[in-house]
Amino acid sequence: MPWFSASQHTVRRLLLLCLPLFLLSSLGLLALRGKPDKGGNGQGAQTRLASATPIIRLQGTGNLPADASHSLHPSLASFSIETAFFEAYVGNVSSPNLLTRHLLDNLKERTGVPAEVRIGGITADSTYWNASQSVGLSNFVDTAGVLHNTTVGPGFWKSMSLLPKGTRITVNLNLDDLRYQSALDVARSAVEGLPAEQLVAFEIGNEPDHYHSFTPKNYSSIWGEWANNITSTLGLKRPFFQVAATAEDPLWPYDAPGAASQLGEHSYQYSVCDPVRTAVATLPNLVNHTRLAMFLDLWQPRVREVRRQLGSHAFVNGEYNSVSCSGKGGVSNTFGQALWLLDTTLYAASINISRLYIHQGGPLALQSSTQLNHGGLSFYDLWYPVQNTNGPVKVFPSYYAYLFVTEALGFSKSTRIANLFPGRQANGSTNTTQLGDVSSGQLVSYGFWDLDGPLKTRYPSKLALLNLQIYNASQTGTTVRPNATFDISAYVKDPGQRVKIRRLQAPGADIIEGNATLWAGQNFGSGSPIGQVKEEIAPGPLVNVRASEAALVFLH
């Protein structure tokens, strides 16, 4: 949820109106869900198959579509970092983590605004303040490797200076203990330890729909009391609190009665918290636009309702990733996840989710008694800032997706996005395989309109073209890599106009090395770009995109 621009009374009213938090859902089991509503006409693009090479002819007038998003937030691509692992990521003032700093600086360079950072997650609900602690962060881990709690001291807040200048921070407070004084102590330390312009919000509790058998009534009562008391005690500007941070998926189908009366902000499309869900957390299931969009469509009613009450940028996804319980090797650490992350971020933006905070951290013992992962850092992390039991310091392919996103946003503050293919149904959801997308969820395109640019709403300034068909590096030499062609002539102002193309590439979807991944010809495996920027100039309206590849097309 947002850093609210409404009164505390409005926030509490929203809590009471928009929670039930705990409607039936099954975290990550998208593969087992029903089919979406079949409303609408599925207009917006045509597909024809010519032998093995699909040709997608994007259709439209070139004008900004009526279903385009609001102006995109420059920090659309943001981060959530588990409290207990925060210093593993950024280091401390005596020993900064330069890899993390370089990777975050790369994103800021492309938009002029740094990614926002939410410090929180499960370990926030066992985090305490110790004013006399000599180290910034201390984790109590028993001999069995179980992390029991985290204590932060004054040095913890000093480490925030290691983030890019201007980074806005949200801090997650401990609700699980039901000890108000403990939450107040951490909040006070943050207010006193951080510049006022850097600390922008608090959250009370992480995923409270998973403990204490909270009901909408007693949760909202505690939330309201704590938020008001902390605000008054610390003299905070009103409002200063984000609501909920819940984990359970919304009601299915997404446009069913009551779907708008829910509230939450965390999402994991798949899971390895138990064997049943582990079985469906596969690379082909993950890298598929139809599945992805069906999942994100669940949030559409609440996005509309929260924006109606609190403003256009009010709904954020405060924690998300591909596979909960710390990811799955061979799935969430691959180039396939980079394509999933790119499509997830762009599709979420197209349905007016303002910012998405991708979660970083490590497996947490007792998160689930049947979880797949134990120890080290998570398989879904975008990079490993330190050596750990799951591998050395390295950058994963997923990081490159955020380079694509930030370059698509650029420095404009008035860019809007629309899904061009498969397109929208009348009820607002994406077109599905059953409703006309004969690419089986493998081909996707988005348009970006810069309202401050020379063409304003008449033509897009950029297009994102994604080919999600799985092609693995192990197929090299045995199988011809499939190719798709996008006909973008409807969105080019002048016939025969030359366009510039930058590509997100790897030898295959199964690649797990950032060093083998390229954005616009450059390798970011060391944190800083290696090699020269590579751009292509296409002489006409046909753009080829190979399987397991994405292209950013600069039109005007």
Side-chain angles (χ1 to χ4, degrees), residues 527-547:
S528 299
I530 297 174
Q532 298 297 312
V533 171
K534 181 179 179 181
E535 295 178 341
E536 304 167 34
I537 303 297
L542 300 181
V543 179
N544 295 322
V545 184
R546 298 185 304 167

Side-chain angles (χ1 to χ4, degrees), residues 272-296:
V272 291
C273 293
D274 56 71
V276 174
R277 288 181 287 178
T278 297
V280 297
T282 66
L283 198 57
N285 281 348
L286 183 70
V287 190
N288 182 279
H289 177 77
T290 298
R291 291 175 177 270
L292 177 157
M294 288 168 65
F295 179 67
L296 288 177

Side-chain angles (χ1 to χ4, degrees), residues 181-238:
Q181 186 62 46
S182 179
L184 175 64
D185 288 344
V186 173
R188 188 195 306 277
S189 73
V191 169
E192 294 176 350
L194 291 173
E197 65 275 10
Q198 188 171 30
L199 178 64
V200 296
F202 286 123
E203 286 179 347
I204 300 174
N206 176 75
E207 301 176 0
D209 49 343
H210 280 183
Y211 53 76
H212 292 316
S213 300
F214 274 129
T215 66
K217 183 177 181 179
N218 61 25
Y219 168 77
S220 60
S221 175
I222 292 174
W223 184 94
E225 180 182 352
W226 285 27
N228 273 317
N229 289 344
I230 293 173
T231 297
S232 299
T233 301
L234 301 182
L236 302 176
K237 58 189 175 186
R238 293 175 180 268

Side-chain angles (χ1 to χ4, degrees), residues 322-335:
S322 57
V323 181
S324 68
C325 281
S326 295
K328 186 178 184 181
V331 177
S332 53
N333 54 355
T334 67
F335 184 73

